[in-house]
Amino acid sequence: MLDGITDVSRSGACAPRRLLDAQGRHIQYLRLSLTDRCNFRCSYCSVSNYEDGDRILSRAEIRRVVAAFAGLGVRRVRLTGGEPTLRREVVEIAADIRATPGIEEVALTTNGHRLRELSVRLRDAGVLALNVSLDTLDAATLVRVSGRGARLHEVLDGIDAAAAAGFGSLKLNTVVMAGVNDGELGDLVRHAWARGATPRFIELMPFGDGVPVPTGEVKCKLAAQGVALVPDMKRGWGPAHYMRGAGGYVGFIGAITENFCESCNRARITADGGFQACLGGSERLNLRDLVRAGASDEALAEGVSAALGRKAPRHHMDEEGARLVTLPMMGIGG
Ligand code: SAM
Ligand code: SF4
């Protein structure tokens, strides 16, 4: 029976254990929020003002939790937030995770504002894949979308610094909003390609304000804005599908219109140690309290396994009233 814990029957008693959810989906990818804080206030992202302090997992607790997940077959960890670069120890935490036996890849998602100073240090700490959010190339639009703390020149300088540092992968993620940034999609693609980065367009999920543009329409707009694309088989770790054009790839994440739950291979940990099996779900297991109560690795694994065993087959964010039941994006890190 698949109860969400280790699948010894499939892998053999001496082989590494695998973490399966209730639907048999193999969980290899962990998104870990380093802080709930953010210096931006994106209109589509629920804002939280929680201070870090004792409430969140310490660096040592993160090491412990990541090691437990690695022991269960997790191979890739993405650091997110809030804004992960606001965490003072972000570089050290990235290095700790990279050094964890079993972890093959450390990735980070950021709003880019600190990348000018951090890019080289993050790369040297072992961060292989970097995603930077870039919704617009217009300074006033950025302030309108992300608040007064968002300064376009800092983000663009940060992206240039990341491109120069040379990460294994550099992606620029755009949440597409009707009437806000859907007129500059072609320019965003050209900006990314010129820096050796891959632009990706994400459908707006119902966590805050804004009118979504379905992926199908985004493709039509790109064609109209001078970006000709052909289908391609390229896939990454996540739910994006890719098309190819003159300057490289373009990714699309149809979070709503292309439900990707069937192939979901990820789980999430909030900054305060809440283990969340599904982005659209509401159930959390408090790993921080378990760790602080002295739980053994086995007890941690059992708790995670039980939570995964209850993971629903799919999210329901595409249904009417979804905004009312979903959790804040800042707390779960996307
Ligand atoms: N602060 C970092 C950043 O913005 O890249 C990391 C955390 S942010 C929550 C992670 C990702 O979630 C970003 O790419 C952001 O654009 C995306 N995101 C936030 N709210 C969203 C929404 N309502 N719909 C789609 N994507 C969203
Ligand atoms: Fe901050 Fe990222 Fe949310 Fe924008 S999307 S408010 S940058 S956490």
Side-chain angles (χ1 to χ4, degrees):
M1 189 182 92
L2 298 174
D3 64 352
I5 196 166
T6 53
D7 177 29
V8 178
S9 61
R10 287 188 193 189
S11 52
C14 300
R17 305 195 304 176
R18 304 199 317 165
L19 200 53
L20 301 176
D21 72 9
Q23 277 68 43
R25 293 171 292 197
H26 185 193
I27 308 300
Q28 292 181 289
Y29 176 18
L30 189 65
R31 292 180 72 102
L32 177 68
S33 174
L34 292 188
T35 178
D36 292 317
R37 292 180 300 129
C38 188
N39 55 331
F40 287 14
R41 286 290 177 269
C42 300
S43 53
Y44 47 74
C45 178
S46 310
V47 173
S48 126
N49 285 312
Y50 292 127
E51 284 303 318
D52 285 353
D54 265 3
R55 198 181 61 81
I56 63 171
L57 292 177
S58 68
R59 178 179 165 192
E61 287 166 346
I62 289 175
R63 263 202 308 263
R64 173 86 202 286
V65 164
V66 169
F69 275 88
L72 290 172
V74 163
R75 293 289 162 257
R76 184 185 211 231
V77 178
R78 177 171 293 281
L79 303 177
T80 177
E83 175 47 43
T85 61
L86 293 185
R87 176 94 181 232
R88 209 164 28 86
E89 300 158 306
V90 60
V91 173
E92 291 78 9
I93 291 171
D96 288 349
I97 295 176
R98 185 64 192 93
T100 305
I103 298 297
E104 291 163 7
E105 189 177 320
V106 181
L108 184 130
T109 302
T110 174
N111 63 24
H113 85 287
R114 284 198 70 206
L115 281 179
R116 196 169 48 180
E117 51 183 304
L118 282 181
S119 284
V120 169
R121 291 179 60 208
L122 287 168
R123 183 206 61 198
D124 290 349
V127 173
L128 190 71
L130 192 68
N131 288 1
V132 187
S133 297
L134 181 67
D135 290 339
T136 177
L137 293 169
D138 180 80
T141 305
L142 184 67
V143 169
R144 189 173 142 212
V145 171
S146 300
R148 282 199 307 274
R151 282 180 281 274
L152 186 68
H153 67 93
E154 284 179 1
V155 176
L156 295 182
D157 284 357
I159 289 169
D160 287 348
F167 287 87
S169 141
L170 177 62
K171 300 194 184 95
L172 304 187
N173 289 335
T174 301
V175 176
V176 186
M177 292 158 279
V180 177
N181 62 354
D182 55 348
E184 51 176 317
L185 307 182
D187 289 340
L188 285 161
V189 168
R190 287 180 281 272
H191 188 88
W193 281 350
R195 286 153 184 82
T198 300
R200 302 198 307 176
F201 295 104
I202 306 174
E203 278 178 359
L204 181 75
M205 291 184 275
F207 294 109
D209 294 335
V211 178
V213 181
T215 289
E217 251 179 70
V218 170
K219 291 177 183 172
C220 296
K221 285 178 187 293
L222 283 173
Q225 292 170 27
V227 179
L229 297 171
V230 294
D232 195 272
M233 296 304 287
K234 174 182 158 79
R235 301 290 303 190
W237 277 78
H241 69 268
Y242 290 86
M243 295 183 79
R244 200 163 24 88
Y249 290 99
V250 178
F252 300 92
I253 303 179
I256 300 297
T257 61
E258 299 169 4
N259 187 288
F260 43 70
C261 298
E262 208 172 289
S263 59
C264 179
N265 61 352
R266 59 185 62 189
R268 296 171 169 79
I269 298 180
T270 58
D272 59 357
F275 172 68
Q276 185 157 339
C278 173
L279 174 61
S282 56
E283 189 180 316
R284 288 195 197 178
L285 168 76
N286 194 324
L287 292 171
R288 176 197 62 195
D289 290 353
L290 279 177
V291 168
R292 290 184 187 173
S296 64
D297 286 351
E298 205 50 45
L300 279 182
E302 269 166 33
V304 167
S305 158
L308 275 172
R310 292 189 291 272
K311 181 173 175 176
R314 54 162 294 177
H315 71 64
H316 296 278
M317 290 187 284
D318 47 353
E319 291 171 9
E320 207 173 325
R323 179 193 298 252
L324 301 174
V325 297
T326 46
L327 289 160
M329 193 71 163
M330 289 263 285
I332 40 183

